[in-house]
Structure formats: structure tokens, C-alpha cells
Amino acid sequence: MLEEVGIFEDDSEPSFERWLVGRLEGLAPGIRSKAERWARVLRDGGPRSLPRKEGTLWLSLNHVRPTLLEWSNRYDHLREVTRNDVLAHIKTLHGHQRRDQLTALRSLFTWAKRQDHVFRNPISRIKVGQSEYAVLQPVLPEQVERSATAATTRAVRLVLALAAVHAARVAHIDALTLEGRPNRRGRRAERGGCGIGSGRRGRTSWIVCGSASGQRMQGRILSGCAVCTYFTATLG
């Protein structure tokens, strides 16, 4: 009502501003000012860059914060950071943590170099490298039993069979959609593959994949009705 008559003034602080203040707390003033300007460029874009998604901004600032806090104990400005400082820091990181922090730091220093806030980019020629994945361990029988017991619906049981038996990835399973009913051959007329839906007498129907990667998975994993046969016979 107040807004309609033109007398309402919204003086509340945007949530982004509160979040940004919290993420920059504890940094040296010179480092803090440059990190703030970099974060605003990520959000709003600039003359030579497009605005990024909000989630990208959050992740990027969260990834660089631990490193910037460490450097704030020794330096007052980003231009004081050397290549040896970066190498010494990333030696303590492994896997995704190393990749994520190094990628975010590369973004920060690339922007700072373009704006002439640093004399030299200390991240240049430092390769991110491949992520080191942990060795896969076999699942114990009691863990399988516990998962099967927790799967109380047919849809959840099928997801369990796809992941545990056929090693279907999360992105592929997430792309599965509930679409239509099968034809008399037990397949979709438009595209092959197993699926799930409501068939006659409440029986399970078939899954239809909605993404290109999911359709590739169909040819390798979801052939015919083997998956539905498995989870119906094994998981009830």
C-alpha cells in the first residue's frame, strides 16, 4: 500500500552486501579492497567481462578466502604475493580443493593484472593438473542391505539399482524423466531405453532420458528392460 502511494522507502541492506562483508572480514585492508572489487566485477560484469552466475561468485570468493586470510598475516597488498607464496600454499592442497582454490586465485590475479593492481601475475604458468581421485572401496553387504531397506518405493529402488549395479552417474540419473507409457514391445516408440512410470495395474513402466548424455547412457546401461527386471526381481 505504501509503495503504491509512493511513500515507501526500502532501506534494508541487500543480502549480497551482508554476505560480502562477512566473507571479506579479517583480510588486510589492501587485499580486502581488491577482493571486493573483483567480487563485484564477477557479479555485475565490467568493460571486458560478463557477469557470472551468483553461485559462481559465492564459490570463487569462498575458495580464495582461506588463502587471502593466510597472506593477510604477512602482506598488506596483493602485489606483494609472489609465485613462491602460491606454490608453497598449493603444496598443502590436494584433489578438488587444490583445483578449486587455484582456479579462483587465477581468476582474481588475472583481473588484478588487467587492472594494474599487481606488477606480475604469480599464478601464470602454474598448471591446475588432474584431480587425484580416491581409490574406490567395495561396499559391504550390510551397507547394501541397509540401502535396500531404506528404499521403500519402486522409483527409489530403481535409482538404487542404477547407481549400485550399473554405476550410473548422478547427472544421468537426475536427467531421467517420467514420460508416457511403453509400447507393446516394452519400449518407447520414439526412442529406446528402459524407464519408469505408471503402467497397467500399477506396474512399473519405463524411464525416458531427457539429455544427450542420458541417451548415450541408454545404449550402454538401459538396454531393453534389464534394469526394471533386476530391481523388480531383486528388490521386490
Side-chain angles (χ1 to χ4, degrees):
M1 179 66 71
L2 297 178
E3 186 175 3
E4 291 180 357
V5 298
I7 61 175
F8 175 74
E9 182 178 354
D10 186 6
D11 58 351
S12 60
E13 185 180 19
S15 59
F16 170 77
E17 298 297 333
R18 295 193 301 271
W19 173 82
L20 185 60
V21 170
R23 292 291 85 192
L24 298 175
E25 185 178 359
L27 301 183
I31 296 178
R32 175 193 177 101
S33 63
K34 300 304 183 292
E36 180 179 356
R37 293 178 61 180
W38 167 67
R40 293 188 183 280
V41 170
L42 286 181
R43 186 189 67 161
D44 303 325
R48 302 173 62 181
S49 61
L50 297 174
R52 305 297 179 87
K53 294 181 179 180
E54 195 173 66
T56 301
L57 165 60
W58 290 350
L59 290 175
S60 298
L61 193 52
N62 285 335
H63 289 325
V64 302
R65 174 175 165 79
T67 314
L68 298 183
L69 282 174
E70 177 186 340
W71 290 339
S72 293
N73 295 327
R74 293 176 285 160
Y75 304 128
D76 295 323
H77 301 279
L78 283 179
R79 61 175 174 268
E80 299 178 72
V81 178
T82 66
R83 178 183 177 87
N84 289 335
D85 292 321
V86 176
L87 293 175
H89 177 71
I90 64 176
K91 282 183 180 179
T92 64
L93 307 175
H94 303 280
H96 291 290
Q97 189 181 33
R98 180 185 186 277
R99 182 199 62 189
D100 294 339
Q101 289 197 27
L102 194 55
T103 301
L105 287 171
R106 188 186 305 277
S107 173
L108 170 61
F109 280 101
T110 299
W111 168 85
K113 183 65 173 64
R114 289 175 180 173
Q115 301 299 317
D116 293 327
H117 296 315
V118 297
F119 303 122
R120 182 179 298 177
N121 185 351
I123 307 292
S124 63
R125 298 188 303 278
I126 297 180
K127 297 181 179 180
V128 175
Q130 296 182 348
S131 299
E132 297 179 2
Y133 296 96
V135 178
L136 297 178
Q137 300 294 327
V139 180
L140 300 177
E142 53 267 25
Q143 294 175 318
V144 176
E145 182 66 25
R146 187 162 58 248
S147 299
T149 303
T152 57
T153 65
R154 287 180 174 267
V156 175
R157 290 173 179 175
L158 177 55
V159 169
L160 176 61
L162 289 171
V165 179
H166 298 279
R169 297 183 178 274
V170 175
H172 292 158
I173 297 177
D174 187 59
L176 299 176
T177 57
L178 303 180
E179 259 183 42
R181 296 173 59 178
N183 57 24
R184 285 181 296 179
R185 294 186 178 182
R187 298 179 179 227
R188 288 282 299 179
E190 298 85 355
R191 42 189 170 175
C194 193
I196 184 170
S198 297
R200 288 183 296 179
R201 300 181 181 178
R203 296 180 62 83
T204 302
S205 181
W206 311 98
I207 284 179
V208 177
C209 284
S211 67
S213 60
Q215 292 183 38
R216 287 196 298 270
M217 182 187 71
Q218 283 183 339
R220 188 178 74 254
I221 296 176
L222 303 180
S223 58
C225 60
V227 176
C228 281
T229 301
Y230 172 84
F231 99 91
T232 301
T234 306
L235 301 177

